[in-house]
Amino acid sequence: MLLRLEGRGLFNSAAIVARADRKEAVGLAKDLSDYLNSKKMPVFLEQTLAKRLGRPEAALTLEKMRTDLVITIGGDGTILRTCLQLPKPEPPILAINMGVRGFLAEVPPKEGITAVEKCLKGEFTLERCMKIGASIGKKRLPAALNEVFVTSHAPAKLLYAKIWKDNTAVAESRADGFVIASQVGSTGYSLSGGGPVLDPEVNAFVLTPVTPLTMFHPIVFSSRSTLTIELIKPKRAVVVLDGHYTTEIKPTCLRIEVAKSEYESSFIRFGQNFYKRLKGRLLFSRGENL
Amino acid sequence: MLLRLEGRGLFNSAAIVARADRKEAVGLAKDLSDYLNSKKMPVFLEQTLAKRLGRPEAALTLEKMRTDLVITIGGDGTILRTCLQLPKPEPPILAINMGVRGFLAEVPPKEGITAVEKCLKGEFTLERCMKIGASIGKKRLPAALNEVFVTSHAPAKLLYAKIWKDNTAVAESRADGFVIASQVGSTGYSLSGGGPVLDPEVNAFVLTPVTPLTMFHPIVFSSRSTLTIELIKPKRAVVVLDGHYTTEIKPTCLRIEVAKSEYESSFIRFGQNFYKRLKGRLLFSRGENL
Amino acid sequence: MLLRLEGRGLFNSAAIVARADRKEAVGLAKDLSDYLNSKKMPVFLEQTLAKRLGRPEAALTLEKMRTDLVITIGGDGTILRTCLQLPKPEPPILAINMGVRGFLAEVPPKEGITAVEKCLKGEFTLERCMKIGASIGKKRLPAALNEVFVTSHAPAKLLYAKIWKDNTAVAESRADGFVIASQVGSTGYSLSGGGPVLDPEVNAFVLTPVTPLTMFHPIVFSSRSTLTIELIKPKRAVVVLDGHYTTEIKPTCLRIEVAKSEYESSFIRFGQNFYKRLKGRLLFSRGENL
Amino acid sequence: MLLRLEGRGLFNSAAIVARADRKEAVGLAKDLSDYLNSKKMPVFLEQTLAKRLGRPEAALTLEKMRTDLVITIGGDGTILRTCLQLPKPEPPILAINMGVRGFLAEVPPKEGITAVEKCLKGEFTLERCMKIGASIGKKRLPAALNEVFVTSHAPAKLLYAKIWKDNTAVAESRADGFVIASQVGSTGYSLSGGGPVLDPEVNAFVLTPVTPLTMFHPIVFSSRSTLTIELIKPKRAVVVLDGHYTTEIKPTCLRIEVAKSEYESSFIRFGQNFYKRLKGRLLFSRGENL
């Protein structure tokens, strides 16, 4: 999962994605852009950011960011949105944390320049993360880094669905929705629904029901399995990928298939491991100084 | 996981293990023994059962059952006890359900003879199940089919422990105990503690804390990982394997290591799959006829 | 909670509410109506039902059912919808179970006539159930029998809210939604969210977060308390009462107040108690014959 | 629950209980004792503490502490142990937090003297807390502040029990154990078992199963109810009160009855309310600055 790359010369172009609604994020984007330019590296900026920085000539949409490196400045939301839209295979991401939630983003803003320096010197490891591919009939959805969430189209309306693994019936269940989360995504929405944490090294994803009416436990499947959620009633549902991409299941095709994607997302890391990140967020002590 | 064997000729000897405290189990054991004898198959009986059936010459301890087939008549408890003690590698088990709890045992008593017939004809599949090996210092414990449970030596006393994956610190936690369960074991005690179900095909085991004081979610690890539980306080704990084998962690060695065992248990199956068995037990509907 | 009334003479008029989409429900409605007419009792029918039975002269909307007795034929959904709309104070309900989910409805269809007979003879107890009143600013919402559910207006979007008890800040939390459930409602949606069962005799309601991002346990409050949910972000949310009445919280008033209602719902019971009903639905055994 | 007392003159004697294994606790005990003596207040010391401070003449066992005030210096464990043993009705407790866990103890050590000063001036409120009384046959157990825990006598052995509310059968269940917790106790062991938080104003206690095999949710009962746990199998169990008092249920009487105690514990408070204490301990944010 972690590869040490020969760094120098790896990155010949970069792109920056930042929360344009946050002054500090925009400021840091400018600093990093200037720094990279000083190193003769061409730098592209996501459109809104380019406008904010008055550099329309550097503007590039996420879908076209075929650069060697993408720097995100924001929280996990910014990263998830970026990974959904980047061209495949995805360039590696250096994630700088400028959000309140930063499980995926590890670098604090004040270490941004240093991180980019290390990056250019090749002093990093690359964390490669499985993504989840879903399709509704012939329609392939963008690969999700965290999770695929299937839910009813109205709040508090039950979804009655049948779950299949490959060609085996797993269960029928009534619930507000069903989450299928990756290892990375297991620490997100799935966890709120009562799902387990998946260690980054286990080749698995987890199906977690959300507020199930029927007694139904989270189930962990091999990432070689294909899961199918078949709507029984009602004949439509909403699908949300990584909290940012929304589509519908309609009566014309009532099945959504979910499997390991052929694509990955990859992150530049400087040593802090999964459980150290997790400790800061999830493995709380209750009233104790551990 | 499921292998179709060429059956005829595979089994040249059999042993029977039955709940000697249950009249029906003893009766069925007699019938099966007579049937197998009529097929010229030598049959051994667990000691208590041999005594109950008045056949001391057929008596054999579990530890010496190097037969080609072992038939258990009882519930999951009988199977777990048998698998803990069988010589390694373990002969395949034909499990007849004579208990109230029968997740592992699939054959109802009245189909016992038919099941043995099919078995001899080779009309079955073999379900191979991962076991969990644990060791305390140099002391290796018997391979567990369901789970390794580490808990404090007195009720309602907290165990303060540190968890390691290979050489990585995972978390420190205070809890009544910690369960490390296999795929099969994930439907047992671990589930009562809030753990997920592991699909039989995922190469994983799950660490589930029992009544944790500290906020601590179940974590699913690759079965290639080695987990270590290190006692911080107190300096002793009880280890229970599959509910049947008990030992202690003492101040002389405060660490228990847990990993995939080199041994497996294997079960004769006639088609009913994991999720059909699960449905009967765990994936309940609430007030609905699914 | 249970009162034995002197029955004879109590009921001088009745109304029937039935699932008009279910043939058996409509048929039973006709039988009960004929039976009551034969006893010289005037019987009104909910509008759709009246149309289905070709008795437009007996049609009455739920809002106008000021009869002495209301008979519902359907599942819990039918009862919840009826109680939301009945004029206050609500007439007692005889609930006949013609749905897959029947926690509130106890009488099976084939005992419908017998139940009405017993009812007229006064051979019953009356179960009185607390309802929950909610208001947004000056707007009072219909009293809910099961629960008030506040949730975000889009699926998988977090609601960031502050909870108050009387004038005390309880907590701030991020979650998909918040349920405030009555004793009766504690066995419904709140339970799916991980809430406890409330015994009918405890004067309490329970606040249950739905898929909370922040660590937030269900909290049980005295029914003398007033709870306020104040939206912090976003500035709008959806409110669903008993799964049947939907309204919105908008930027003009970001607070919803919830307290015990001055109204109750009451049910005709023939002896089967809360825990017997609960056993059939919620207190499952796992693989055991209890 | 909170009463403002006229303080001056209320307290004519005091006793101090401190963790004798903690140097700072013993030091603070000495300071407080000296301070109270300077105010002409007679001060008693728990035996071990008296020995540690070289004041054998001031020694008093917990069972004999009929003083007007008891000061505890330690964590929640010290308080629970003290309340179990104090003579009834219990004198009010001023709890100074010298432990890692301090949900009940609110005063930090450096404010100890100031707190005692305020206490003598009557500048405080008194928080009165319900206790739980249990009896096995004719044997009454000490009133518990947090919880009564019934569990099997060996680790990981199931207890099969029947639960009664007054004379109504609630459920039969198989579990490792059953917790009956007060409002205060709902934030302790019961919470680890998945129970809800009980607001201090709700007149209730909660029954929480620990690792139930059978599907069994926590149930909240009115504090006017009497709960009975009847052992079905095995015919013995361990009872632990507040983590400090242990007794057994034996075949001679297989039922333990639990109800609101006639006694209370009361705590000197200086304003910080329940939810502020709770926030510091239980209502965590996950990776967010709330």
Side-chain angles (χ1 to χ4, degrees):
Chain A
M1 181 131 306
L2 294 182
L3 296 180
R4 184 161 292 275
L5 299 184
E6 292 184 31
R8 185 169 300 275
L10 261 182
F11 304 124
N12 297 310
S13 62
I16 303 180
V17 180
R19 285 190 60 167
D21 60 333
R22 287 232 175 179
K23 212 173 157 183
E24 317 89 298
V26 173
L28 181 56
K30 184 175 181 312
D31 294 349
L32 293 181
S33 172
D34 290 348
Y35 173 81
L36 286 165
N37 282 333
S38 79
K39 298 283 176 188
K40 313 292 183 209
M41 170 96 71
V43 178
F44 298 91
L45 306 170
E46 202 197 357
Q47 289 182 301
T48 334
L49 179 63
K51 194 176 288 177
R52 284 289 304 273
L53 292 182
R55 300 186 185 169
E57 73 289 355
L60 202 63
T61 60
L62 281 170
E63 288 84 353
K64 294 192 176 165
M65 283 193 181
R66 300 192 180 278
T67 51
D68 295 335
L69 175 68
V70 171
I71 302 171
T72 63
I73 307 172
D76 287 0
T78 304
I79 296 171
L80 291 169
R81 180 174 66 85
T82 299
C83 291
L84 270 174
Q85 299 181 63
L86 280 179
K88 310 301 165 195
E90 302 177 15
I93 289 175
L94 171 62
I96 298 172
N97 184 16
M98 191 80 84
V100 282
R101 297 175 61 199
F103 179 71
L104 289 167
E106 136 192 59
V107 177
K110 64 177 167 34
E111 296 174 17
I113 294 281
T114 315
V116 170
E117 270 184 296
K118 279 191 192 170
C119 202
L120 297 188
K121 286 187 198 156
E123 294 174 351
F124 61 86
T125 50
L126 195 65
E127 184 186 2
R128 297 169 60 191
C129 298
M130 185 185 97
K131 301 194 78 171
I132 302 184
S135 52
I136 303 171
K138 289 180 181 168
K139 182 185 176 189
R140 288 188 60 185
L141 310 184
L145 179 56
N146 262 7
E147 79 267 316
V148 173
F149 177 41
V150 180
T151 187
S152 55
H153 61 290
K157 286 290 172 205
L158 282 171
L159 212 58
Y160 179 14
K162 188 163 186 176
I163 317 286
W164 304 80
K165 183 193 78 164
D166 303 325
N167 291 315
T168 305
V170 167
E172 294 183 6
S173 177
R174 279 179 168 80
D176 276 15
F178 301 91
V179 180
I180 296 166
S182 67
Q183 299 97 329
V184 163
S186 72
T187 62
Y189 193 60
S190 171
L191 197 87
S192 296
V197 172
L198 303 184
D199 181 88
E201 290 184 331
V202 69
N203 295 316
F205 43 64
V206 58
L207 170 74
T208 304
V210 173
T211 51
L213 178 69
T214 43
M215 182 61 217
F216 188 54
H217 298 273
I219 307 179
V220 179
F221 295 94
S222 166
S223 56
R224 288 184 307 273
S225 304
T226 296
L227 289 192
T228 303
I229 297 178
E230 179 189 352
L231 296 190
I232 298 177
K233 199 177 135 189
K235 301 292 187 192
R236 61 193 311 147
V238 173
V239 177
V240 185
L241 305 182
D242 285 348
H244 280 84
Y245 174 96
T246 302
T247 187
E248 275 187 85
I249 303 179
K250 294 177 189 168
T252 44
C253 177
L254 291 170
R255 300 161 67 97
I256 180 169
E257 286 201 356
V258 181
K260 182 179 175 175
S261 170
E262 67 206 271
Y263 303 114
E264 296 175 329
S265 294
S266 58
F267 296 92
I268 305 279
R269 298 290 182 208
F270 304 102
Q272 205 194 19
N273 74 38
F274 178 80
Y275 290 102
K276 280 199 186 131
R277 296 209 309 276
L278 202 60
K279 191 184 178 179
R281 323 248 163 242
L282 304 176
L283 300 173
F284 283 108
S285 92
R286 287 213 323 252
E288 294 176 74
N289 309 319
L290 286 188
Chain B
M1 182 130 303
L2 294 181
L3 296 179
R4 184 162 291 275
L5 299 184
E6 292 184 30
R8 184 170 299 275
L10 262 181
F11 303 124
N12 297 310
S13 63
I16 302 179
V17 180
R19 285 190 60 168
D21 61 334
R22 288 234 176 177
K23 211 175 159 182
E24 316 90 297
V26 174
L28 181 56
K30 184 175 182 311
D31 294 347
L32 293 181
S33 172
D34 290 348
Y35 173 82
L36 286 165
N37 282 332
S38 79
K39 298 285 177 187
K40 314 291 183 210
M41 170 95 73
V43 177
F44 299 91
L45 305 170
E46 202 197 358
Q47 289 182 300
T48 334
L49 180 63
K51 193 175 290 177
R52 285 289 304 276
L53 292 182
R55 300 186 184 169
E57 74 289 355
L60 201 63
T61 59
L62 280 170
E63 289 83 353
K64 293 192 177 165
M65 284 193 181
R66 299 191 181 279
T67 51
D68 295 334
L69 175 68
V70 171
I71 301 170
T72 62
I73 307 171
D76 287 0
T78 304
I79 296 171
L80 291 169
R81 181 175 67 84
T82 300
C83 290
L84 270 174
Q85 299 180 64
L86 281 179
K88 310 300 165 195
E90 302 177 15
I93 289 176
L94 171 62
I96 298 172
N97 185 18
M98 191 79 85
V100 282
R101 294 175 62 200
F103 179 72
L104 289 167
E106 139 193 57
V107 177
K110 65 177 166 34
E111 296 174 17
I113 294 282
T114 315
V116 171
E117 269 184 296
K118 279 190 193 172
C119 201
L120 298 188
K121 286 187 198 156
E123 295 173 352
F124 60 86
T125 51
L126 195 64
E127 184 185 3
R128 297 169 60 189
C129 298
M130 187 186 96
K131 301 194 79 171
I132 301 184
S135 53
I136 303 171
K138 289 179 181 169
K139 182 185 177 190
R140 288 188 60 186
L141 309 184
L145 178 56
N146 262 6
E147 80 267 316
V148 173
F149 178 40
V150 180
T151 187
S152 56
H153 60 290
K157 286 291 172 207
L158 281 171
L159 212 58
Y160 180 12
K162 188 164 186 177
I163 317 287
W164 304 80
K165 183 192 77 163
D166 304 325
N167 292 316
T168 305
V170 168
E172 294 183 6
S173 177
R174 280 179 166 81
D176 276 16
F178 302 91
V179 180
I180 296 166
S182 67
Q183 299 98 330
V184 162
S186 72
T187 63
Y189 192 60
S190 171
L191 196 88
S192 296
V197 171
L198 303 184
D199 181 89
E201 290 184 330
V202 70
N203 295 316
F205 42 65
V206 59
L207 170 73
T208 304
V210 173
T211 50
L213 178 69
T214 43
M215 182 61 217
F216 188 53
H217 298 272
I219 306 179
V220 178
F221 295 94
S222 165
S223 56
R224 290 183 307 272
S225 303
T226 295
L227 289 193
T228 303
I229 296 177
E230 180 189 352
L231 297 189
I232 298 177
K233 201 178 133 188
K235 300 293 188 193
R236 61 192 311 146
V238 173
V239 177
V240 185
L241 305 182
D242 286 348
H244 281 84
Y245 175 96
T246 301
T247 187
E248 274 188 86
I249 302 179
K250 294 177 190 168
T252 44
C253 177
L254 292 170
R255 301 161 66 96
I256 179 168
E257 285 200 358
V258 180
K260 182 179 176 175
S261 171
E262 67 206 270
Y263 303 115
E264 296 175 327
S265 294
S266 58
F267 295 92
I268 305 278
R269 298 291 183 209
F270 303 103
Q272 206 194 20
N273 75 38
F274 179 79
Y275 290 102
K276 281 200 186 130
R277 296 208 310 276
L278 202 59
K279 191 183 177 180
R281 322 251 162 241
L282 303 177
L283 299 173
F284 282 107
S285 93
R286 285 211 326 251
E288 294 176 72
N289 309 318
L290 286 189
Chain C
M1 182 128 305
L2 294 182
L3 297 179
R4 184 161 291 275
L5 298 183
E6 293 184 28
R8 186 170 298 276
L10 261 181
F11 303 124
N12 297 309
S13 62
I16 302 179
V17 180
R19 283 190 62 167
D21 61 333
R22 287 233 176 178
K23 212 173 159 183
E24 317 89 296
V26 173
L28 181 57
K30 183 175 182 310
D31 293 349
L32 293 181
S33 172
D34 290 348
Y35 173 81
L36 286 164
N37 282 332
S38 78
K39 298 285 177 186
K40 314 291 181 209
M41 170 94 74
V43 178
F44 298 92
L45 305 170
E46 201 197 358
Q47 289 182 299
T48 333
L49 180 63
K51 193 176 290 179
R52 286 289 304 272
L53 293 182
R55 299 185 185 170
E57 74 288 355
L60 202 63
T61 60
L62 280 170
E63 288 84 353
K64 293 193 176 163
M65 284 192 181
R66 300 193 181 279
T67 51
D68 294 336
L69 176 68
V70 171
I71 301 171
T72 62
I73 307 172
D76 286 1
T78 305
I79 296 171
L80 291 170
R81 181 174 66 86
T82 300
C83 291
L84 271 174
Q85 298 180 65
L86 282 179
K88 311 300 164 191
E90 302 176 15
I93 288 175
L94 171 62
I96 298 172
N97 184 17
M98 189 81 83
V100 281
R101 297 176 60 200
F103 179 71
L104 289 166
E106 140 192 56
V107 177
K110 64 178 168 32
E111 295 174 16
I113 294 281
T114 315
V116 170
E117 269 184 297
K118 279 191 192 171
C119 199
L120 297 187
K121 286 187 197 156
E123 295 172 352
F124 62 86
T125 51
L126 196 64
E127 183 186 2
R128 297 170 60 190
C129 297
M130 185 185 98
K131 298 193 80 172
I132 301 184
S135 52
I136 303 171
K138 289 180 180 168
K139 181 186 177 189
R140 289 188 60 185
L141 309 185
L145 178 55
N146 262 7
E147 79 267 316
V148 173
F149 178 41
V150 180
T151 187
S152 55
H153 60 288
K157 286 290 170 206
L158 282 171
L159 212 58
Y160 179 12
K162 188 164 187 177
I163 316 287
W164 303 81
K165 183 194 77 162
D166 302 327
N167 292 315
T168 305
V170 168
E172 294 182 8
S173 178
R174 279 179 167 82
D176 276 14
F178 301 92
V179 179
I180 296 166
S182 68
Q183 299 98 329
V184 163
S186 72
T187 63
Y189 192 60
S190 171
L191 196 86
S192 296
V197 171
L198 302 183
D199 182 88
E201 290 183 332
V202 69
N203 295 316
F205 42 64
V206 58
L207 169 73
T208 304
V210 173
T211 50
L213 179 70
T214 43
M215 182 61 218
F216 188 54
H217 298 272
I219 306 178
V220 178
F221 295 94
S222 165
S223 56
R224 289 183 308 273
S225 303
T226 295
L227 288 193
T228 303
I229 296 178
E230 179 189 351
L231 297 189
I232 298 178
K233 200 178 133 189
K235 299 293 187 193
R236 62 193 310 146
V238 173
V239 177
V240 184
L241 304 182
D242 285 350
H244 281 83
Y245 175 96
T246 301
T247 187
E248 275 188 84
I249 303 180
K250 294 177 190 168
T252 45
C253 178
L254 291 170
R255 300 160 67 95
I256 180 169
E257 286 201 355
V258 181
K260 183 180 175 174
S261 171
E262 68 206 270
Y263 304 114
E264 296 174 330
S265 294
S266 58
F267 295 91
I268 305 279
R269 298 289 182 209
F270 304 102
Q272 206 195 18
N273 75 38
F274 178 79
Y275 290 101
K276 281 199 185 131
R277 295 209 309 276
L278 201 59
K279 191 184 176 179
R281 323 249 162 241
L282 303 178
L283 299 173
F284 283 107
S285 91
R286 285 215 322 253
E288 295 176 73
N289 309 317
L290 286 188
Chain D
M1 183 128 305
L2 294 181
L3 295 179
R4 183 161 293 276
L5 298 184
E6 294 185 29
R8 185 169 300 275
L10 261 181
F11 303 124
N12 297 310
S13 63
I16 302 180
V17 180
R19 283 191 61 166
D21 60 334
R22 287 231 176 179
K23 212 174 159 183
E24 317 89 298
V26 173
L28 180 57
K30 183 175 182 309
D31 294 348
L32 292 181
S33 172
D34 291 348
Y35 173 82
L36 286 164
N37 282 333
S38 78
K39 298 285 176 187
K40 313 291 182 210
M41 170 95 73
V43 177
F44 299 92
L45 305 170
E46 201 197 357
Q47 289 182 300
T48 333
L49 179 64
K51 192 176 291 178
R52 286 288 304 270
L53 292 182
R55 299 187 185 169
E57 74 288 356
L60 202 63
T61 59
L62 280 170
E63 289 82 355
K64 293 192 176 165
M65 284 193 182
R66 300 192 181 279
T67 51
D68 295 335
L69 175 69
V70 171
I71 300 171
T72 63
I73 307 172
D76 286 2
T78 305
I79 296 171
L80 291 170
R81 182 175 67 86
T82 301
C83 290
L84 270 174
Q85 298 180 66
L86 281 179
K88 310 301 164 193
E90 302 176 16
I93 289 175
L94 171 62
I96 298 172
N97 184 16
M98 190 80 84
V100 282
R101 295 176 60 200
F103 179 72
L104 289 166
E106 139 191 57
V107 177
K110 64 178 167 33
E111 295 174 18
I113 294 281
T114 315
V116 171
E117 270 183 295
K118 279 190 192 172
C119 199
L120 298 186
K121 287 186 197 157
E123 295 172 352
F124 61 86
T125 50
L126 197 64
E127 183 186 4
R128 297 169 60 190
C129 298
M130 186 186 98
K131 299 193 80 171
I132 302 184
S135 52
I136 302 171
K138 289 179 180 170
K139 181 185 177 189
R140 288 188 59 186
L141 309 184
L145 178 55
N146 262 6
E147 80 267 318
V148 173
F149 178 41
V150 181
T151 187
S152 56
H153 60 289
K157 286 289 172 207
L158 282 170
L159 213 57
Y160 180 13
K162 188 163 187 177
I163 317 287
W164 304 80
K165 183 193 77 162
D166 303 325
N167 292 315
T168 304
V170 168
E172 294 182 7
S173 178
R174 280 179 166 84
D176 276 15
F178 301 91
V179 179
I180 296 165
S182 68
Q183 299 98 330
V184 162
S186 72
T187 62
Y189 193 60
S190 171
L191 197 87
S192 295
V197 171
L198 302 183
D199 182 88
E201 290 184 333
V202 69
N203 295 316
F205 43 64
V206 58
L207 169 74
T208 304
V210 173
T211 50
L213 178 70
T214 44
M215 182 60 218
F216 187 52
H217 298 272
I219 306 178
V220 178
F221 295 95
S222 165
S223 56
R224 290 182 307 273
S225 303
T226 296
L227 289 192
T228 303
I229 296 177
E230 180 190 352
L231 297 189
I232 298 177
K233 200 178 135 188
K235 300 294 188 193
R236 60 193 311 147
V238 173
V239 177
V240 184
L241 304 182
D242 286 348
H244 281 84
Y245 175 95
T246 301
T247 187
E248 275 188 85
I249 303 179
K250 294 177 189 169
T252 45
C253 177
L254 291 170
R255 298 161 67 95
I256 179 167
E257 284 200 356
V258 180
K260 183 180 176 174
S261 171
E262 66 206 273
Y263 303 115
E264 295 175 329
S265 294
S266 57
F267 296 92
I268 306 278
R269 298 288 182 209
F270 304 102
Q272 207 195 18
N273 75 38
F274 178 78
Y275 290 102
K276 281 200 187 132
R277 297 210 308 277
L278 201 60
K279 191 184 176 179
R281 322 248 163 243
L282 303 178
L283 299 174
F284 282 107
S285 92
R286 286 214 322 252
E288 294 177 73
N289 310 316
L290 286 188

